[in-house]
Amino acid sequence: MADGTKDAGSSNQMWGGRFASGPDAIMEEINASIGFDKKLYAQDIRGSIAHATMLAKQGIISAEDKDKIVQGLNTILSEIEAGRFEFSRKLEDIHMNIEARLATLIGPAAGRLHTARSRNDQVALDFRLWVKEELVRTDAALTDLIAALLDKAQEHADTVMPGFTHLQTAQPVTFGHHCMAYVEMFGRDRSRVRHAIDHMDECPIGAAALAGTGFRIDRHMTAEALGFRSPTRNSIDTVSDRDFALEFLSVASICAVHLSRFAEEIVIWSTPQFGFIRLSDAFSTGSSIMPQKKNPDAAELVRAKTGRINGSLVALLTIMKGLPLAYSKDMQEDKEQVFDAAENLELAIAAMAGMVRDMTVRVDRMRAAAGSGFSTATDLADWLVREAGLPFRDAHHVTGRAVALAEQKACDLADLSLDDLKSIHDAITEKVFDVLTVDASVASRTSFGGTAPSEVRKQIAWWRGRN
Ligand code: ARG
């Protein structure tokens, strides 16, 4: 070896300890998926019961064998749920662990269960069932988060705050309107969830290894029994397709990005400098050294979870990108990515719903910030267009001069005197002050989807009818 030491083969110090028994142990470790695919036990058993029932109905196995198989599988289900099942890595994966146990329980009839199927269509079925169920859970979690946001939006439909672009004060908005922006995002996530469920609603079992089977199976029957719209239409595609997992991860990644942006705002808003909100103790922590601090840990972790969820999507895309049809063992690496993303997404959504419900909105701080930074400058320009007939570009220029004057006098636009404003443009009258306050600014924006409290209340009502 380059460093002059001798390669000690299977007694190599680096791996000799862990893989003391050599290549067999290494192969077992790299090959086995039972460590993570045991999560699919319930789906595997459901799929097998449906398959055995179909085989018996088609006269491919006897009713007697089918009864034994179903009974045995139900026993295994209760053993696993009671924690009494011994998973073996030697048996590689959940499919073989269950089949081996079935053989011990019912004898030779167990061997008939695998007629007209393969682990390739079996795993495609189990995993698809799991992902479908997870999407239903995601939908419920998002519904709850949206409900929390709708309540906050309703409570704060009139609460003014600065709206930002480039994180610079732009125009006053309401906090309710801002919350409703997230309702739109999570609402789109929900609709993506439903589309993903619809796309994956086809049943893989019966594709067998890749070519289908010569047995007279009834794939429509198993599809219906397992709650799918129809069987998949191409057996080669069926065992090589992981779009359903990729779609789950895409949906999860986009949702995680939404959560992360919201988390980022919560981090910013809860700084003493902004002071727009106060997080509850339940979702923040103190510092072990600086007693004045209250850290938005939950928001920071929600923001960070996005990294691993998006990472899972990139991982599975990369796993799949070079695979020839049909099944390759590479595809076994799909599950941990999906399980990890699912677990963390659920947690992040729940933490976000909790933070939204528990946060205190500091209405006075928001109002003070909303009025500073010349946030009603656009209202002045619009007024000049509407009431004085100026072209918008000229109004923009006049307003710029008013802002410069206010800056020079260290006051807000609304604090300038009428004389000050007249010195800039003589068409300005007393009435201009009606639009220079943040409340007037916000109330005037009644265009569809605008920030006026009346409009925001309409949007809340629309969502309440749908969420
Ligand atoms: N554990 C395997 C997986 O997760 C099951 C399918 C195995 N199929 C095979 N032909 N070896 O993908």
Side-chain angles (χ1 to χ4, degrees):
M1 290 179 101
D3 65 359
T5 58
K6 277 201 181 139
D7 185 354
S10 61
S11 63
N12 182 303
Q13 287 302 299
M14 293 301 286
W15 50 272
R18 187 141 178 242
F19 300 111
S21 49
D24 291 358
I26 299 173
M27 182 54 186
E28 189 181 299
E29 174 136 0
I30 197 170
N31 199 37
S33 53
I34 189 63
F36 47 87
D37 68 14
K38 59 175 149 203
K39 224 185 173 77
L40 300 176
Y41 73 90
Q43 291 76 13
D44 195 74
I45 289 172
R46 258 178 75 203
S48 288
I49 290 175
H51 182 67
T53 308
M54 181 277 294
L55 290 176
K57 146 117 193 312
Q58 296 298 100
I60 299 166
I61 64 172
S62 69
E64 206 188 359
D65 282 348
K66 184 262 289 179
D67 289 343
K68 280 191 198 155
I69 289 170
V70 171
Q71 221 172 39
L73 287 169
N74 281 325
T75 306
I76 294 171
L77 182 64
S78 31
E79 286 177 354
I80 295 176
E81 284 182 341
R84 282 189 282 108
F85 189 95
E86 241 177 73
F87 292 101
S88 153
R89 206 167 71 171
K90 291 231 169 329
L91 291 167
E92 224 182 291
D93 56 26
I94 186 65
H95 324 294
M96 305 224 274
N97 267 267
I98 290 178
E99 204 181 311
R101 177 69 184 139
L102 190 64
T104 318
L105 286 173
I106 68 167
R112 301 197 182 276
L113 172 60
H114 215 51
T115 314
R117 78 171 185 189
S118 135
R119 273 189 297 158
N120 296 349
D121 55 341
Q122 195 178 352
V123 73
L125 169 66
D126 296 1
F127 197 27
R128 213 183 263 235
L129 282 170
W130 192 92
V131 172
K132 256 179 86 181
E133 287 163 24
E134 180 59 27
L135 282 168
V136 172
R137 284 192 285 274
T138 311
D139 195 41
L142 284 170
T143 305
D144 181 58
L145 173 56
I146 291 172
L149 281 163
L150 288 173
D151 288 346
K152 269 287 153 196
Q154 180 124 25
E155 196 185 327
H156 292 284
D158 297 293
T159 302
V160 289
M161 70 179 279
F164 300 94
T165 59
H166 314 267
L167 199 55
Q168 306 286 326
T169 301
Q171 295 171 346
V173 295
T174 65
F175 186 59
H177 193 210
H178 199 106
C179 289
M180 291 304 289
Y182 284 102
V183 167
E184 293 291 332
M185 293 186 234
F186 296 125
R188 285 195 296 276
D189 290 331
R190 278 196 69 197
S191 108
R192 267 183 285 273
V193 163
R194 287 191 297 263
H195 282 125
I197 293 175
D198 188 58
H199 284 159
M200 68 184 68
D201 204 12
E202 293 176 346
C203 185
I205 198 73
L210 81 165
T213 173
F215 290 101
R216 296 287 164 259
I217 58 172
D218 182 351
R219 293 193 60 209
H220 293 273
M221 179 182 169
T222 34
E224 202 190 319
L226 293 164
F228 288 99
R229 185 177 55 224
S230 64
T232 53
R233 276 178 309 277
N234 181 301
S235 59
I236 299 176
D237 175 51
T238 301
V239 295
S240 58
D241 167 41
R242 288 296 179 273
D243 287 5
F244 62 94
L246 287 171
E247 274 202 65
F248 170 77
L249 291 172
S250 316
V251 168
S253 293
I254 297 174
C255 179
V257 167
H258 294 156
L259 289 166
S260 183
R261 294 181 73 176
F262 196 7
E264 168 70 2
E265 298 211 295
I266 288 174
V267 169
I268 294 173
W269 292 341
S270 63
T271 56
Q273 288 75 11
F274 265 76
F276 283 5
I277 58 164
R278 222 180 263 118
L279 287 172
S280 70
D281 289 347
F283 289 102
S284 41
T285 62
S287 159
S288 56
I289 174 167
M290 296 162 282
Q292 85 283 12
K293 289 192 75 184
K294 188 159 167 180
N295 298 327
D297 293 40
E300 292 170 297
L301 288 163
V302 166
R303 192 172 57 184
K305 295 291 186 198
T306 312
R308 63 200 288 174
I309 294 169
N310 294 3
S312 299
L313 172 61
V314 174
L316 188 55
L317 286 168
T318 312
I319 289 164
M320 297 303 296
K321 73 171 268 297
L323 298 187
L325 304 185
Y327 177 85
S328 296
K329 196 62 174 261
D330 310 50
M331 288 157 71
Q332 176 165 287
E333 294 278 315
D334 55 2
K335 288 167 214 58
E336 285 168 293
Q337 302 302 334
V338 169
F339 292 157
D340 186 76
E343 187 180 320
N344 284 287
L345 184 68
E346 264 188 67
L347 186 57
I349 297 174
M352 190 52 93
M355 276 187 278
V356 169
R357 289 203 166 94
D358 283 13
M359 70 170 61
T360 308
V361 176
R362 301 177 70 186
V363 175
D364 293 348
R365 296 277 309 200
M366 283 192 182
R367 172 170 287 278
S372 69
F374 312 111
S375 64
T376 56
T378 320
D379 298 272
L380 174 55
D382 288 350
W383 186 90
L384 287 163
V385 170
R386 224 174 28 243
E387 306 293 328
L390 269 65
F392 184 78
R393 278 295 153 222
D394 296 349
H396 184 279
H397 182 74
V398 170
T399 304
R401 286 176 51 212
V403 167
L405 182 62
E407 218 161 19
Q408 193 192 321
K409 296 197 159 196
C411 69
D412 280 326
L413 281 176
D415 303 325
L416 289 172
S417 69
L418 184 58
D419 285 346
D420 287 337
L421 289 167
K422 272 194 179 302
S423 75
I424 294 166
H425 199 285
D426 57 13
I428 297 178
T429 69
E430 186 73 38
K431 282 209 301 218
V432 78
F433 291 103
D434 292 348
V435 303
L436 293 185
T437 66
V438 288
D439 291 296
S441 165
V442 154
S444 73
R445 291 196 156 68
T446 52
S447 55
F448 184 83
T451 202
S454 57
E455 191 56 32
V456 171
R457 286 198 173 89
K458 276 186 214 157
Q459 300 300 342
I460 296 171
W462 188 87
W463 273 103
R464 286 220 192 269
R466 265 154 201 83
N467 192 48

